[in-house]
């Protein structure tokens, strides 16, 4: 009545158009980042890096790893002219989203970014990271344990220095295990029995939590000997039908179907609370976990212990990596020498000890073998020499695993597909098959050759 | 004739020259801003939607390929179906509640009218993110209000964040947020009805219900129409609520839960900015068409 037809139409158009407008704000074309600052072929010696550090400047570091907070002041006091701005731009996928946005926009890009091993190929392939070969990174073979060192290679380039590693182990709450007379499981069969026994004794307690976590699932398949991803440059094969994958799905499906895993997302408030009050009795997780337990789960002090990862065959020793990060220099950085200097300080030199003291798990072989490191007996773990267990796990990581060159994207759709197994009648194996199909489709769209 | 023509011609020429500039001087500033902040982004989105950027192979012009993909993309249509269902169920409920509240306040029989009006409107002042977080905490069956109620009374209430109930739970949040806003639209439309009509109705012996039915509701037609169109657009744009609840219902809220959330995920997780722009444009066009159809229908009834 009061509104004319035309005016309404216009307001309708306006509103609808702002829908398109909202999405276009983030649509800056992906090609903008391929600037002249690739840093390739330029050979930079250690002396050049040293000179740059002495000359000074400022760099921005994006990382969520808590122990870097101690590394930055130490670095700045060693090189007083260098200012480091440490920014926590979110953990894992949140940071990758922010980083990808900054790179697409071509501004606000940090000089150094923490990037997990699974995500490194995607950023390297997108030419977002500087190749560190020219900075002498190619001479560092042997400095890092082989798993993480292989992970920072992409093609002929080296796109980051390993900061930590995550060989898996079984972290368990001894108090809960003792109370319900549960033996520490050494095989996954025993683990399932333990899960049943615990949940039957107290329906509020669970052996572990799981609501569908791509990193955990792929690591478990890795340990079981599955090799769902075969990557050769831009040729990719994806197959979750192999024997290793099926070993995992058969076992884990039982835990899901019988509702023996707590429905908390990892890193949520409920999760931290559950780790402290015994609701979540164990975690099969990377060796970087102690620092997180000590800072995030104060209530668990003295209760937690570490045991070798349960095995698929009694007497086996195979483990897998779970997470672990590198520090990488961005291709757009104007301070690559300073950035590389920071990488070396944090990942090889003085920074390693500071970070290990803070509870991080190193990737450097020297530290992994040092008696100081192996002999550490933190009170949080009741004086157990946990690093002996964890360092042993680092040696037993099953070889031959690779991640997709678009793993960040693939992981973002994990809960669309495999997640169905946690809320409906879909099985894990069917979920993985759907995930595989989605990943293949994306790979094809992105120009990969899918076998 | 010839004389008259000779006189008239320069006049026409002069006025034509004048006409083309004065108008533009007035609308110029507006047009400049309008072009910059409104037309340019849309144009840029359309431009983007005609290309494809691959991790391997870089950027290439693909014409309408992205549109062809979008129109046959089951994930896009499933997200569209979800918001369409949401629209069909939530919007009528919300508008009915808003209408009832507006009529109640307008009836003048309510004690503490001003307080009631403000408190119903208040949720609209709460940012959607905060509102969703708040409801999210209440919905939690592990550590939230639902969980506490279950523990305290030994119940097992259905989980509002389960696959079956989640859309309804989001509808509840949206209704809570926007019922007050729509109430205000209706209420202000009711306020402009001349009181003489009520007096006349009373003299004719009409009861309150009769007055509502014969005077108030017809007078609200325009307001109802505009509220409906706003709600249609709002439903199609559903984003904040699922994006926030994703953390609580990881497996239920897929990356293609609503069209806007899908566009967001495509762009930010999949780096498919081009396809994301396509999805946004397709959705924008659909919204425009539906809003237009509703408007045409509403206007026809009014005649």
């Amino acid at each position: 009545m009061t509104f004319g037809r035309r005016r309404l139409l216009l307001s309708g158009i306006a509103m609808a158009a702002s829908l398109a407008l909202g999405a276009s704000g983030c649509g800056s074309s992906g090609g903008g980042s391929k600037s002249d600052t690739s840093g390739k072929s330029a050979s930079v010696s250690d002396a050049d890096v040293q000179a740059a550090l002495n000359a000074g400047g400022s760099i921005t570091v994006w990382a969520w790893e808590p122990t870097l907070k101690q590394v930055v002041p130490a670095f700045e006091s060693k090189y007083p002219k260098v200012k480091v701005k440490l920014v926590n731009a979110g953990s894992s996928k949140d940071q990758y989203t922010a980083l990808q946005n900054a790179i697409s926009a071509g501004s606000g890009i940090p000089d150094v970014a923490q990037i997990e091993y699974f995500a490194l190929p995607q950023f390297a392939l997108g030419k977002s990271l500087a190749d560190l070969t020219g900075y002498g990174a190619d001479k560092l073979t042997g400095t890092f344990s082989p798993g993480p060192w292989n992970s920072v290679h992409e093609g002929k380039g080296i796109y980051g220095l390993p900061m930590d590693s995550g060989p898996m182990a079984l972290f368990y709450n001894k108090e809960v295990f003792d109370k319900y007379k549960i033996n520490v499981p050494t095989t996954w069969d025993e683990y399932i029995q333990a899960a049943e026994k615990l949940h039957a004794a107290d329906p509020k307690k669970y052996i572990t939590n799981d609501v569908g976590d791509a990193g955990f699932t792929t690591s478990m398949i890795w340990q079981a000997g599955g090799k769902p991803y075969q990557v050769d440059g831009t040729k990719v094969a994806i197959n979750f039908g192999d024997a290793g994958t099926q070993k995992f799905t058969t076992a884990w499906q039982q835990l899901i179907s019988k509702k023996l895993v707590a429905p908390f997302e990892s890193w949520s408030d409920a999760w931290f609370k559950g780790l402290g009050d015994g609701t979540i009795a164990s975690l099969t997780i990377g060796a970087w976990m102690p620092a997180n337990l000590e800072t995030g789960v104060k209530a668990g002090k003295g209760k937690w212990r570490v045991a070798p990862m349960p095995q698929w065959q009694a007497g086996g020793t195979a483990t897998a990596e779970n997470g672990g990060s590198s520090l990488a220099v961005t291709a757009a950085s104007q301070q690559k020498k300073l950035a590389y200097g920071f990488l070396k300080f944090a990942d090889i030199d003085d920074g390693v000890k500071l970070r290990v003291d803070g509870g991080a798990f190193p990737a450097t072989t020297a530290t992994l073998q040092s008696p100081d490191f192996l002999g550490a007996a933190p009170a949080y773990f009741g004086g157990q020499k946990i690093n002996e267990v964890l360092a042993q796990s680092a040696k037993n990581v099953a070889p031959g695993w690779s991640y997709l060159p678009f793993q960040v994207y693939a992981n973002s759709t994990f809960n669309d597909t495999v997640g169905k197994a946690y809320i409906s009648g879909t099985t894990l194996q069917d979920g993985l098959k759907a995930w595989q199909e989605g990943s293949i489709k994306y790979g094809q769209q992105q120009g990969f050759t899918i076998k | 004739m010839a004389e008259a023509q000779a006189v008239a011609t320069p006049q026409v020429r002069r006025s034509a020259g004048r006409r083309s500039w004065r108008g533009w001087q007035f609308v110029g500033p507006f047009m400049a801003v309008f072009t910059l902040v409104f037309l340019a982004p849309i144009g840029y989105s359309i431009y983007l939607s005609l290309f494809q950027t691959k991790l391997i192979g870089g950027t290439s012009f693909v014409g309408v390929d992205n549109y062809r993909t979008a129109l046959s993309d089951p994930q896009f249509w499933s997200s569209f179906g979800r918001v369409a269902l949401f629209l069909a169920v939530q919007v009528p409920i919300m508008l009915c509640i808003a209408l009832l509240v507006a009529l109640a306040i307008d009836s003048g029989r309510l004690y503490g009218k001003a307080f009631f009006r403000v408190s119903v409107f208040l949720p609209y002042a709460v940012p959607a993110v905060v509102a969703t977080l708040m409801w999210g905490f209440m919905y939690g069956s592990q550590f939230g209000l639902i969980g506490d109620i279950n523990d305290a009374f030994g119940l097992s209430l259905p989980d509002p964040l389960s696959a079956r109930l989640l859309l309804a739970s989001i509808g509840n949040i949206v209704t809570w947020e926007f019922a007050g806003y729509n109430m205000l639209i209706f209420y202000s439309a009711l306020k402009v009805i001349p009181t003489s009509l009520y007096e006349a109705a009373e003299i004719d012996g009409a009861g309150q219900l009769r007055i509502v039915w014969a005077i108030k509701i017809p007078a609200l037609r325009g307001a109802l129409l505009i509220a409906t169109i706003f709600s249609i657009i709002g439903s199609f744009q559903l984003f904040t609520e699922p994006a926030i609840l994703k953390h609580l219902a990881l497996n239920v809220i897929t990356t293609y839960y609503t069209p806007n959330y899908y566009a967001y995920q495509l762009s930010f997780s999949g780096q498919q900015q081009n396809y994301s722009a396509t999805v946004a444009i397709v959705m924008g066009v659909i919204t425009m068409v539906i809003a237009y159809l509703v408007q045409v229908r509403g206007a026809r009834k009014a005649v």
Side-chain angles (χ1 to χ4, degrees):
Chain A
M1 290 177 85
T2 34
F3 291 90
R5 186 188 254 210
R6 231 177 123 80
R7 217 154 113 208
L8 264 181
L9 171 62
L10 276 178
S11 69
I13 292 173
M15 285 296 165
S18 61
L19 187 118
L21 195 123
S24 72
C26 50
S28 162
S29 82
S33 62
K34 284 156 204 152
S35 57
D36 43 356
T37 49
S38 72
K40 195 145 186 174
S41 80
S43 185
V44 180
S45 71
D46 278 359
D48 293 340
V49 171
Q50 196 61 42
L53 287 170
N54 293 336
S58 67
I59 54 170
T60 305
V61 178
W62 279 14
W64 65 89
E65 161 67 33
T67 60
L68 283 177
K69 284 202 191 91
Q70 279 97 56
V71 174
V72 168
F75 179 75
E76 285 180 330
S77 67
K78 188 167 179 185
Y79 304 106
K81 288 187 177 164
V82 185
K83 288 276 159 287
V84 178
K85 198 174 156 212
L86 182 64
V87 179
N88 183 347
S91 292
S92 196
K93 65 182 174 198
D94 292 339
Q95 195 220 283
Y96 302 142
T97 302
L99 183 62
Q100 198 65 54
N101 286 347
I103 289 168
S104 296
S107 69
I109 307 170
D111 300 281
V112 175
Q114 174 180 358
I115 298 181
E116 285 158 286
Y117 298 123
F118 80 84
L120 203 66
Q122 177 160 336
F123 283 98
L125 216 63
K127 298 189 171 58
S128 309
L129 302 178
D131 182 358
L132 302 176
T133 317
Y135 292 78
D138 51 334
K139 297 180 194 81
L140 294 172
T141 309
T143 307
F144 300 101
S145 50
W149 184 237
N150 286 338
S151 305
V152 296
H153 283 72
E154 176 64 35
K156 288 195 178 85
I158 297 168
Y159 290 93
L161 294 186
M163 175 162 68
D164 56 15
S165 62
M168 292 175 95
L170 180 69
F171 291 73
Y172 66 97
N173 188 325
K174 187 167 187 293
E175 200 182 71
V176 175
F177 273 49
D178 286 352
K179 185 175 173 194
Y180 297 99
K181 300 193 170 51
I182 293 164
N183 296 325
V184 178
T186 59
T187 66
W188 289 112
D189 282 342
E190 289 176 18
Y191 187 84
I192 294 167
Q193 286 160 18
E196 284 171 341
K197 192 173 171 187
L198 175 65
H199 196 61
D202 182 350
K204 286 244 152 200
K205 291 198 164 40
Y206 298 89
I207 192 79
T208 192
N209 73 294
D210 186 24
V211 290
D213 178 328
F216 174 75
T217 302
T218 47
S219 290
M220 290 292 285
I221 293 171
W222 180 345
Q223 189 217 10
K227 292 186 179 66
Y229 303 130
Q230 303 284 349
V231 182
D232 175 16
T234 59
K235 288 197 210 67
V236 175
I238 308 174
N239 175 21
F240 280 99
D242 64 0
T245 305
Q246 286 178 3
K247 235 191 264 177
F248 163 71
T249 53
T250 312
W252 210 256
Q253 186 68 52
Q254 301 176 44
L255 292 180
I256 297 172
S257 301
K258 294 176 188 163
K259 296 195 188 322
L260 297 174
V261 282
F264 310 144
E265 191 183 353
S266 296
W267 312 106
S268 64
D269 293 341
W271 185 70
F272 280 112
K273 190 166 171 279
L275 291 175
D277 67 13
T279 307
I280 302 169
S282 79
L283 289 175
T284 310
I285 206 162
W288 34 260
M289 194 59 205
N292 294 290
L293 280 173
E294 285 179 35
T295 55
V297 192
K298 297 233 160 42
K301 190 173 181 187
K303 297 177 190 167
W304 287 81
R305 298 288 184 278
V306 182
M309 193 174 181
Q311 294 296 316
W312 293 101
Q313 276 166 342
T317 56
T319 63
E321 293 271 348
N322 178 224
S325 312
S326 63
L327 288 177
V329 179
T330 56
S333 169
Q334 301 297 322
Q335 297 281 9
K336 290 203 183 63
K337 286 176 204 164
L338 284 185
Y340 187 69
F342 180 77
L343 256 58
K344 283 190 79 172
F345 183 87
D347 292 348
I348 303 172
D349 302 334
D350 310 15
V352 177
K353 185 170 171 4
L354 287 169
R355 296 190 39 259
V356 168
D357 289 348
F361 194 78
T364 43
T365 41
T367 318
L368 281 169
Q369 289 161 0
S370 82
D372 266 7
F373 174 72
L374 293 172
Y380 189 92
F381 293 92
Q384 187 194 1
K385 291 181 180 172
I386 57 169
N387 288 341
E388 285 181 351
V389 182
L390 299 173
Q392 190 59 39
S393 174
K395 286 183 195 152
N396 293 332
V397 172
W401 176 269
S402 55
Y403 284 111
L404 287 176
F406 44 89
Q407 194 72 40
V408 178
Y409 170 79
N411 285 3
S412 79
T413 62
F414 181 84
N415 293 88
D416 288 358
T417 50
V418 187
K420 293 272 176 288
Y422 294 83
I423 54 164
S424 69
T426 311
T427 63
L428 261 183
Q429 191 65 47
D430 288 348
L432 284 168
K433 189 156 191 301
W435 193 35
Q436 167 183 330
E437 280 157 11
S439 300
I440 287 174
K441 198 173 149 216
Y442 181 81
Q444 281 165 342
Q445 276 169 5
Q446 294 297 319
F448 290 91
T449 313
I450 310 283
K451 278 182 282 185
Chain B
M1 276 298 276
E3 215 173 298
Q5 250 181 353
V7 175
T9 315
Q11 247 178 356
V12 168
R13 204 182 290 146
R14 215 187 303 139
S15 69
R18 220 188 285 141
R19 197 196 308 151
S20 59
W21 288 115
R22 185 144 305 162
W24 281 109
Q25 281 169 358
F26 280 104
V27 295
F30 164 75
M31 287 305 283
V33 175
F34 183 72
T35 308
L36 189 72
V37 305
F38 209 87
L39 297 181
I42 295 174
Y44 185 56
S45 287
I46 294 172
Y47 168 80
L48 276 181
S49 71
L50 301 177
F51 290 85
Q52 189 182 27
T53 304
K54 294 179 172 183
L55 266 168
I56 308 297
T59 306
S60 58
F61 181 80
V62 293
V64 294
D65 267 15
N66 285 331
Y67 290 91
R68 222 172 276 148
T69 314
L71 292 178
S72 61
D73 181 349
Q75 299 196 329
F76 172 69
W77 288 114
S78 105
S79 70
F80 176 78
R82 199 167 289 116
V83 287
L85 174 68
F86 183 86
L87 170 67
V89 178
Q90 186 265 339
V91 170
I93 292 175
M94 174 180 69
L95 293 183
C96 278
I97 292 173
L99 184 64
L100 285 176
V101 173
L103 289 170
I105 294 175
D106 189 59
S107 72
R109 300 175 174 206
L110 215 58
Y111 183 74
K113 190 173 88 175
F115 170 77
F116 192 60
R117 195 175 62 205
V118 168
S119 53
V120 171
F121 182 71
L122 209 59
Y124 181 67
V126 178
V129 173
V130 177
T132 311
L133 282 172
M134 200 179 79
W135 278 99
F137 290 136
M138 290 198 259
Y139 284 158
S141 57
Q142 292 293 337
F143 289 105
L145 184 67
I146 298 282
D148 290 345
I149 292 174
N150 283 346
D151 283 350
F153 299 104
L155 299 168
S156 63
L157 296 171
D159 180 4
L161 299 172
S162 65
R164 214 160 44 84
L165 288 180
L166 191 76
L167 197 63
S169 303
I170 291 177
N172 180 45
I173 299 175
V174 175
T175 305
W176 181 81
E177 282 177 295
F178 289 99
Y181 170 77
N182 288 304
M183 174 273 292
L184 214 61
I185 294 180
F186 296 150
Y187 181 66
S188 51
L190 287 172
K191 278 280 128 189
V192 300
I193 298 172
T195 44
S196 58
L197 285 180
Y198 299 146
E199 283 158 18
E202 243 168 87
I203 289 165
D204 286 348
Q208 277 300 320
L209 277 180
R210 178 81 192 183
I211 289 176
V212 165
W213 203 247
I215 300 176
K216 292 186 177 181
I217 300 274
L220 278 174
R221 198 191 295 273
L224 261 171
L225 187 60
I226 195 74
T228 307
I229 288 178
F230 282 159
S231 302
I232 289 171
I233 295 167
S235 301
F236 281 156
Q237 289 195 356
L238 202 61
F239 175 80
T240 315
E241 290 79 8
I244 299 289
L245 288 176
K246 171 88 175 161
H247 297 286
L248 297 169
L250 191 64
N251 297 320
V252 179
I253 297 180
T254 52
T255 55
Y256 50 93
Y257 199 73
T258 71
N260 261 16
Y261 193 58
Y262 185 41
Y264 169 83
Q265 287 285 344
L266 285 171
S267 181
F268 287 87
S269 298
Q271 289 138 49
Q272 294 165 293
Q273 278 93 354
N274 305 100
Y275 188 50
S276 172
T278 314
V279 166
I281 289 166
V282 171
M283 206 51 215
V285 170
I286 294 176
T287 309
M288 249 159 62
V289 168
I290 292 180
Y292 178 70
L293 289 178
V294 168
Q295 186 267 325
V296 166
R297 223 182 126 66
R300 193 189 302 148
K301 267 189 193 163
V303 170

